[in-house]
Amino acid sequence: MRVAVLADVHANLPALEAVLADVEAHGADRIVLLGDIAGGPMPAETLDVLAGLGDRATWVHGNGERELVDAFDGKPGEGRSAADAATCAALIEQRHRDLMAGLPMTVTLDVDGLGPTLFCHATPRRDDEFVLVDSPISRWNAVLDGVDAGLVVCGHTHMPFDRLAGGRRVVNPGSVGMNYGPAGAYWALLGDGVVQLRRTAYDAAEAAERIAAGRHPEAAWWAEHYVTRPYGDADALEAFAEFTGD
């Protein structure tokens, strides 16, 4: 089995479409969606495309799915993320809410040549925990305590990496729709004993135009900040450091 891993799409439909075409070209058998799928400018359209993958797709939930379902259900939240979730919740329907509700936090699959592989959004124990490529081994050991799989694949921080951590291999495919660093849509291909960190090019100007024409009230702002002028990886690492406790 060859597995394509897509994390942090953030409702950037043009980026998702580009990656899915690349996934097809590389002959992936299974697609694992690592959460934070619909928090962004085109949530309903993005969820409809991914629902069309049927049983070929395996989903885990991120903090974005949890927050979006809560917002749709009218549960109060706090901070900017709650406000963003409420905005997106107004753009989806019941079927989209039901697609995201009840998703597991982790899934383990046996990947050809790589063995049992645990997939999660942020960490195996929380859907909103920040662990970075440069976090110390002591922190990784705490985060992965009790995990039997030799390979762990996580998202959440939007930056790709492949590192060893306390005897395990940890991979982050990067973000499909809200990358930090060089332009493109990031994902990973696993199988045949190999982990490939991939970057798919897409037309950022055209994507920004499509996004800005959508129903999201901050679509034009979103497209400018996350598509045409994405934040750098160094800036993101500095911003996330305050959440890690390292």
Side-chain angles (χ1 to χ4, degrees):
M1 181 172 62
R2 304 182 79 210
V3 177
V5 188
L6 280 58
D8 299 287
V9 176
H10 281 286
N12 181 344
L13 183 60
L16 173 63
E17 291 171 341
V19 167
L20 288 177
D22 213 358
V23 167
E24 290 300 318
H26 284 83
D29 306 295
R30 181 78 64 88
I31 298 172
V32 176
L33 304 171
L34 284 192
D36 281 16
I37 296 299
M42 305 177 75
E45 300 90 336
T46 297
L47 288 167
D48 284 340
V49 167
L50 293 175
L53 297 173
D55 293 340
R56 187 180 175 197
T58 297
W59 302 56
V60 299
H61 81 77
N63 59 295
E65 284 68 41
R66 171 172 52 80
E67 293 163 358
L68 189 46
V69 169
D70 283 349
F72 190 91
D73 292 346
K75 297 179 181 178
E78 297 180 358
R80 176 59 190 262
S81 63
D84 291 342
T87 299
C88 292
L91 302 176
I92 65 173
E93 300 177 13
Q94 184 71 41
R95 72 177 188 277
H96 302 119
R97 179 264 181 211
D98 293 345
L99 182 63
M100 293 182 288
L103 295 173
M105 193 162 74
T106 68
V107 168
T108 300
L109 301 176
D110 194 359
V111 182
D112 286 352
L114 296 169
T117 302
L118 185 146
F119 298 89
C120 60
H121 174 65
T123 71
R125 63 185 184 179
R126 282 179 52 183
D127 64 17
D128 60 355
E129 188 170 22
F130 284 90
V131 190
L132 307 174
V133 62
D134 57 353
S135 291
I137 291 295
S138 58
R139 177 154 171 78
W140 278 107
N141 284 340
V143 163
L144 300 178
D145 184 43
V147 173
D148 294 326
L151 174 60
V152 176
V153 184
C154 57
H156 192 51
T157 59
H158 299 205
M159 288 174 286
F161 63 77
D162 183 352
R163 64 161 291 174
L164 294 177
R168 301 177 185 84
R169 186 178 186 181
V170 183
V171 170
N172 189 316
S175 172
V176 170
M178 192 189 286
N179 66 289
Y180 298 142
Y186 291 73
W187 58 288
L189 183 64
L190 282 57
D192 304 321
V194 176
V195 174
Q196 299 179 44
L197 295 177
R198 305 199 59 86
R199 176 162 59 103
T200 299
Y202 69 103
D203 190 324
E206 181 181 1
E209 185 175 342
R210 283 181 63 191
I211 289 169
R215 297 182 296 143
H216 194 289
E218 297 183 0
W221 180 93
W222 198 99
E224 178 183 358
H225 285 79
Y226 296 119
V227 178
T228 58
R229 295 193 305 165
Y231 293 98
D233 53 349
D235 293 333
L237 281 171
E238 183 177 354
F240 290 155
E242 65 177 289
F243 301 112
T244 65
D246 297 340

